[in-house]
Each structure stands twice: as structure tokens, then as C-alpha cells.
Amino acid sequence: MQNRVVLFLLFVLLISCSSPQKEDKQTPPKSEAQDIVDKSISHHGMEQLDHAEFSLTFRDMSYTYSLQNGLYKYTRTQTDSIDQEVYDVLTNEGLTRYINGDSVELEEEKRAAYSRSVNSVIYFFRLPFGLNDEAVIKEYQGTTSIKGKDYHEIRVTFKQSGGGEDFDDVFLYWFDTEDYSMDYLAYLYHTDGGGMRFREAINPRRVNDVLIQDYINFKPEDESMDINNISELYENGELEELSRIINEDVAISIK
């Protein structure tokens, strides 16, 4: 009996030595925040915006967007106070401004300001798609009730590498716990003097199956407050309406 046990153990040892161990190639589970964002992007029909084009009009200025294989091109066309056509082109290489078809030299401060302005309109228009950018850090903060509905609350910050000059901004997003629509957002920013805003999504509609929304833009009286308390001020009617973000003439093409 003892000899059989010894022989069995030797057999097991030989098998384990001669058979390489399989690597565990299982995909790690998604974080709760990542899962919610992915479901929201799907609900908004934005899974294919990484190879798409769209155009829109915002405050009498025309914008276009294209993204293919990581290469983006955002444009803005407007007419200035002396009836010149001003055309801004923002790509991975930076921003170029044309006036009546001729490129113009820009001071770095102005170039950065124009870049932020163009990028901001595109960024907010394509939310929540941008929440899967590589520089985004997502943190689930539990559920919150707003106007009698339950929402998943997610806090977003940014890695300094790849997060742009606004990497130290802080965003909060509220996603409906039932359909994952992104109904509210808030952000704390530091450029151009800094401040805090809260946005309520309005006028949802589908364009080429993509959910498009406009927003009411609010601010708190004390913009140095803790951003985590801003939804309570909204609930209590204690935010001041600043403006309305209305996107018009929207056209979307998925490539």
C-alpha cells in the first residue's frame, strides 16, 4: 500500500513538472462606475462616435466634428463684428485660425483660449461618450435622489498625463438607475477665473439613433462650496440660472 502511495505521488509530481500551467486570461471585472458609463453610452447610442462625423449650430456659430482612428478634427465657423469669416480648426496637432481664408498668427494665450472654447462645445455635446477617454478617472459615489428619481452618482477627475490643461477639474454625473440616461452634471473648473456649474438636461431627441440633449446652465451663489452638495441646492431651488445650452441643426453620420 505504501509503495502505491509513493508511486502515485511521483506520478503527480512528474505531470505537474512536465505540463506548463495555463495563464489566467480572464478579463478583470468592470468597476461599477465603468459599467454604468458603458450602459449610459449604449443608451445614448454613442458607441460608434469614435468613427463618426457630426455638425451643429450653437449660438450662431457652426461646429463640425470628425474622429477616425484616434485622429480628430473639430471646426468652428463664425462671423466677427466686421463681417469677417473666422474659421478655427482644432486637431491633434493644435489649433489654427483662418480669417477670410488666410491663416493668422496667434499668441499662445489666445490659441489656448480658442482651443478650450472649441473643445468645450464638442466635449459637452458628445457626453457621455467622452467619459471613456484614457485620462478619465471614474469613481462611483452611490445613489442620489433628484426630483423624486434615483440616480447613480459618478465623480470624474483626470490624469495629468493626457488630461489637458484642465486636468485638475472635477465633474459629477448623475445617471438614471433605470435607463442610464445622463440627466444632470456638475463641474468645478479652474481656468478663466474658475467657478462651478450645474447642468440639467432638457429637450432629449434622437438624431440618427444618437440621443441629443440641450441643457439649462446653473451656478451656486458661493462657487467655492463643496461640489458634492450642489445637487441639494438644485433640489431646493437655490441655484441661479445662467444660460441655456441649445444645440441646433444637428446632423450625425456614422462611418
Side-chain angles (χ1 to χ4, degrees):
M1 178 67 180
Q2 187 174 7
N3 289 337
R4 289 182 179 179
V5 172
V6 171
L7 287 172
F8 176 76
L9 292 175
L10 286 171
F11 176 78
V12 171
L13 180 62
L14 286 170
I15 292 296
S16 63
C17 290
S18 61
S19 301
Q21 297 295 314
K22 291 184 178 180
E23 294 182 5
D24 184 5
K25 295 184 179 180
Q26 290 184 341
T27 302
K30 288 183 183 179
S31 69
E32 192 158 14
Q34 183 64 61
D35 184 56
I36 291 165
V37 166
D38 287 346
K39 288 177 178 177
S40 182
I41 290 172
S42 178
H43 172 77
H44 284 250
M46 292 185 171
E47 306 100 313
Q48 301 182 74
L49 282 192
D50 56 354
H51 47 276
E53 296 179 355
F54 64 68
S55 60
L56 64 104
T57 301
F58 174 64
R59 293 178 180 167
D60 296 324
M61 290 180 277
S62 299
Y63 291 80
T64 70
Y65 160 101
S66 66
L67 178 62
Q68 296 287 335
N69 301 317
L71 299 177
Y72 64 85
K73 180 181 179 182
Y74 307 158
T75 76
R76 176 177 64 186
T77 306
Q78 60 184 307
T79 302
D80 66 13
S81 59
I82 56 174
D83 290 329
Q84 298 182 115
E85 183 185 75
V86 180
Y87 180 60
D88 294 316
V89 181
L90 180 63
T91 69
N92 302 69
E93 303 300 319
L95 181 131
T96 303
R97 168 163 283 198
Y98 300 87
I99 296 180
N100 290 335
D102 297 321
S103 63
V104 296
E105 292 294 324
L106 295 172
E107 297 175 359
E108 193 53 42
E109 185 176 346
K110 287 186 176 181
R111 187 187 306 276
Y114 299 152
S115 297
R116 287 194 301 270
S117 180
V118 173
N119 184 70
S120 177
V121 171
I122 300 297
Y123 180 83
F124 284 107
F125 178 80
R126 66 180 195 149
L127 283 172
F129 176 77
L131 299 184
N132 273 344
D133 290 348
E134 289 186 8
V136 170
I137 303 169
K138 297 181 277 287
E139 177 186 355
Y140 184 59
Q141 298 200 144
T143 58
T144 303
S145 178
I146 302 177
K147 289 189 173 181
K149 292 182 69 174
D150 290 333
Y151 289 91
H152 295 294
E153 182 177 300
I154 291 180
R155 179 185 178 94
V156 164
T157 53
F158 303 90
K159 302 173 186 174
Q160 185 168 357
S161 176
E165 63 178 310
D166 305 329
F167 73 91
D168 54 350
D169 291 351
V170 177
F171 283 74
L172 294 179
Y173 295 91
W174 289 271
F175 301 92
D176 189 311
T177 56
E178 294 183 1
D179 66 9
Y180 296 92
S181 61
M182 189 195 77
D183 294 351
Y184 303 96
L185 66 103
Y187 56 99
L188 169 66
Y189 65 98
H190 299 90
T191 53
D192 301 321
M196 188 180 298
R197 299 290 183 265
F198 182 94
R199 291 190 179 188
E200 172 192 357
I202 59 172
N203 192 26
R205 69 271 191 199
R206 296 271 174 182
V207 177
N208 200 11
D209 295 326
V210 177
L211 179 61
I212 304 304
Q213 302 182 135
D214 300 322
Y215 297 93
I216 305 176
N217 198 28
F218 299 90
K219 79 164 189 172
E221 182 178 355
D222 177 12
E223 295 185 65
S224 64
M225 62 169 284
D226 185 346
I227 193 172
N228 288 300
N229 299 326
I230 198 167
S231 64
E232 296 176 19
L233 296 187
Y234 170 75
E235 280 267 78
N236 296 333
E238 297 178 26
L239 298 179
E240 173 190 352
E241 180 178 334
L242 284 179
S243 61
R244 301 230 167 182
I245 312 300
I246 307 298
N247 301 299
E248 301 177 295
D249 307 319
V250 176
I252 298 174
S253 174
I254 306 299
K255 298 299 183 180

